[in-house]
Amino acid sequence: MSDNTSDDALLPHKPRRRRGPLIGVTLAVVVVLVAVVLIVVNATSDSGTAAGRTTVKIGVTDASADYWKNFRQIAADNGIDLELVNFSDYTQANPALAQGQLDLNLFQHLLFLANYNVSANQNLTPIGSTYVVPLSLYSRKHAALAEIPQGGRVAIPNDPTNQARALLVLQSAGLITLRGGGTVLSTPAEIDQAASKVTVTPVDASQTVAALPSVDGAVVNNNFALDANLDPSKALFNDDPANPSAEPYINTFVTRAQDKDNPTYLKLAQLYRDPRVAGEVKAESKNTAVLVERPNSDLQAILARLEQTVRAAKK
């Protein structure tokens, strides 16, 4: 007998009438298994997570803030699992979003976004307003705005966005006059010194608090003011979040243009307004943050105008 003869060849053939039902049962089992696998795959493919849940990556700069705990829980109750990606450098969160490493970010106001979109030739889009934080003038030497003397000195942040806003704050306070009324991109070169009460000293934004003992006043960003335990109620002056001039400083949820109608992202922007979140946001800012509800069409129109202003300034 050849070594190539199989064991099956040595066995008597089984009756053919018994093979048909056996094959039929096997095929039926296979079909059922395939159907079960397809059901499981379809149940998870829409969201990328089990049980129909969705995971959303949000780029932030304050992941340790208390309000995120409530926001995470509220989102989870609505089937959305939040993954926070914290950035210590404000310049990193927009490129990460544009490159698809994030789904959303929440750290910037509309003017910051406009500057990024123009400089990077991007079209990141706001999809939900959050709040405006006033920019305030503080002093360790004077208890009232009127006490600042003629010829006094005021420190302001030197980065373009905050510098221009600080100049507008000082103009509203009656301390300086900007030629042409000023814009969101104004610089100290536009100050009409003859018509102004004070001179300004631009410094790094993080140094405005440190400058307070040596100047008559300083315009200090809210985060640095809170870190230094400055009392917002003791500020000599601040801009008005309800004024149309504050529109460029509305903070927003931002995503890529192609995702601006994503229902999950829009849902998150809505959930942010839950009183359990909004209350903690206000508390964290020592009640300086003013919550803003503007339609996305408004936010996108404001952004478009700001981008035009930025482009014109670069020509």
Side-chain angles (χ1 to χ4, degrees), residues 59-61 87 89-98 102 105 107 124:
V60 302
T61 56
F87 295 90
D89 184 343
Y90 283 12
T91 65
Q92 297 175 349
N94 279 330
L97 177 59
L102 306 170
N105 66 39
F107 76 99
L124 299 184

Side-chain angles (χ1 to χ4, degrees), residues 74 86 106 116 119 128 165 181 193 219 236 247 257-258 283 292:
I74 293 167
N86 199 67
L106 178 56
Y116 171 77
S119 61
R165 187 181 181 188
Q193 296 291 355
V219 178
L236 303 187
E247 286 182 343
Q258 63 267 31
V292 175

